[in-house]
Amino acid sequence: MKKNWSAAFQIAAVYVGTVVGAGFATGKEIVEFFSRFGFIGFLSILLSGFLLIVLGSKLMRIAARINAVSYQEFNVHLFGKWAGRGINIIMLFMLLGVSAVMLAGAGAVFEEQLGLTKNLGVFITIFLSFLVMLVGTKGLFAVNSFVVPIMICFSLMLMTLSIKQPDFVSHLLFIPHAEDGWKSILAPFSYTALNLALAQAVLVPIANEIKDDWTIKWGGILGGTALTVILISSHFTLIMLPNVEIYEIPMAIIMKQIAPFFYWIFVLVIYGEIFTSVIGNVFGLDRQLKQFVRVPTFVTISAIFFVSYAISLIDYSKLLSNLYPLFGYISLIFFILLWIKPLNEKVNKP
């Protein structure tokens, strides 16, 4: 059998691009789940990285073997017919909540980094998203192949500069007091569960299209490994920022402090990652809503943006720190079933 490394790297790139959303790019999500717990957070990242490698690969391999063309079919296989339909409805609300977080993140970039109003950032993002969705999306999704590598390079650069700081080791080993420290125990599991549950909307059809088990397996391994490296590099950078929890876009603050000549490029990359994530989420929601109601795309997209905007009026930090962990805990059921599901089990599709 010929080993197709090129296709494996393509799957890995899709895996990374799907998981690296607004919270990941800004650093806020990593702070919430890991960095605020200090050295315990670093250990949690190592465990989460292992789970992203093993379960990301397993998710796609099962999807290919059962010939699932959508994450709805995958959830029915995982949970059973009736429970699977219920989970798909919950997924709809989760995607809606994440879309609101993305919009709030775009507003936070305008407010904290550009000195403009949050609403201006949100409205510009909605307007541009509408244009792209009505005109076409092929060019937009190609942006991820440009934005993600640049963001990874910046993350590695910031990590290198942080490690060179004389007090880096003391920051790395420090364990701060946290009233909700118990969350650090669940963090690697809820973080992995959240990201895999949301990523399956993209990973399942990709796996079905590739089908080759070796390629899918190594695509998952390479993608999970890349995500682990980005998590570690971001954590090494974030722990060097005092009071990291108070910032909406902590990675941009750090870039401004230690590499100001790259600051505006980095802000643009963060916004680009948020923008592409908004488009991806809204398209996923639109396709899912089409299963329940048959109305023009313009109507469903307008409804999605209206609800997302209403939720995004809440501060980005509050939205992310409340919704993401909640969705992570909900997704733990998905995580457990994916872990125990036999890889070779077949399904008879109607």
Side-chain angles (χ1 to χ4, degrees):
M1 181 184 69
K2 186 179 179 180
K3 297 178 179 179
N4 192 342
W5 284 106
S6 175
F9 276 109
Q10 287 178 344
I11 292 174
V14 171
Y15 188 7
V16 174
T18 303
V19 172
V20 178
F24 204 120
T26 61
K28 191 65 181 174
E29 182 181 341
I30 299 170
V31 170
E32 178 60 35
F33 280 93
F34 303 115
S35 297
R36 67 192 184 94
F37 299 118
F39 186 66
I40 300 297
F42 173 62
L43 297 179
S44 295
I45 285 175
L46 296 180
L47 177 55
S48 184
F50 170 76
L51 295 172
L52 284 168
I53 292 169
V54 173
L55 293 183
S57 181
K58 184 177 182 181
L59 185 156
M60 289 187 282
R61 293 175 74 189
I62 291 176
R65 291 188 181 191
I66 67 172
N67 200 30
V69 297
S70 69
Y71 76 88
Q72 288 95 336
E73 289 186 9
F74 185 82
N75 281 331
V76 168
H77 172 69
L78 210 58
F79 292 91
K81 184 177 180 181
W82 297 107
R85 289 177 179 175
I87 292 296
N88 285 331
I89 293 174
I90 293 173
M91 277 286 297
L92 189 149
F93 286 103
M94 285 174 59
L95 284 169
L96 193 60
V98 171
S99 295
V101 174
M102 299 292 180
L103 283 179
V109 170
F110 274 69
E111 187 174 39
E112 186 177 87
Q113 304 304 315
L114 304 180
L116 302 171
T117 64
K118 174 183 174 179
N119 270 336
L120 177 63
V122 172
F123 283 132
I124 287 176
T125 304
I126 290 175
F127 175 72
L128 292 175
S129 300
F130 250 114
L131 286 181
V132 169
M133 284 191 234
L134 294 177
V135 174
T137 60
K138 288 184 178 179
L140 177 80
F141 288 111
V143 171
N144 253 329
S145 63
F146 175 73
V147 170
V148 172
I150 293 178
M151 201 199 71
I152 292 173
C153 289
F154 277 141
S155 296
L156 293 175
M157 182 190 74
L158 289 173
M159 179 191 72
T160 303
L161 294 173
S162 298
I163 289 175
K164 290 181 179 180
Q165 299 294 318
D167 53 350
F168 171 75
V169 175
S170 61
H171 279 84
L172 175 63
L173 299 177
F174 180 65
I175 302 176
H177 170 73
E179 292 183 2
D180 57 350
W182 60 271
K183 290 182 179 179
S184 64
I185 306 299
L186 286 176
F189 305 102
S190 59
Y191 178 83
T192 305
L194 168 67
N195 282 289
L196 287 181
L198 294 174
Q200 63 172 318
V202 175
L203 298 183
V204 168
I206 286 292
N208 180 263
E209 184 178 326
I210 300 294
K211 285 188 170 58
D212 179 65
D213 185 68
W214 184 94
T215 303
I216 293 169
K217 174 186 173 181
W218 279 98
I221 291 172
L222 292 171
T225 302
L227 287 168
T228 306
V229 171
I230 303 170
L231 278 171
I232 292 173
S233 64
S234 297
H235 174 73
F236 282 179
T237 302
L238 290 164
I239 57 174
M240 301 302 292
L241 180 65
N243 303 313
V244 66
E245 291 180 67
I246 69 173
Y247 299 104
E248 304 255 298
I249 322 286
M251 290 298 285
I253 298 295
I254 296 169
M255 178 66 81
K256 194 172 187 178
Q257 290 179 355
I258 65 177
F261 34 94
F262 287 123
Y263 170 70
W264 290 111
I265 300 174
F266 191 60
V267 169
L268 185 62
V269 168
I270 288 175
Y271 182 75
E273 185 57 52
I274 292 172
F275 182 67
T276 54
S277 298
V278 169
I279 300 293
N281 266 4
V282 173
F283 260 99
L285 279 165
D286 176 56
R287 286 192 293 270
Q288 194 171 355
L289 286 172
K290 287 288 197 299
Q291 296 188 342
F292 301 103
V293 288
R294 294 189 177 277
V295 293
T297 298
F298 179 83
V299 175
T300 54
I301 291 176
S302 297
I304 291 166
F305 274 125
F306 178 80
V307 176
S308 297
Y309 169 71
I311 301 173
S312 74
L313 293 174
I314 303 170
D315 284 343
Y316 172 60
S317 294
K318 289 182 180 178
L319 268 181
L320 191 146
S321 60
N322 286 287
L323 286 185
Y324 273 32
L326 173 63
F327 292 161
Y329 299 144
I330 292 172
S331 302
L332 281 173
I333 304 170
F334 171 85
F335 172 92
I336 293 168
L337 287 178
L338 179 60
W339 181 270
I340 64 176
K341 199 73 172 178
L343 183 61
N344 296 316
E345 183 179 355
K346 295 183 179 179
V347 63
N348 294 319
K349 296 178 73 173

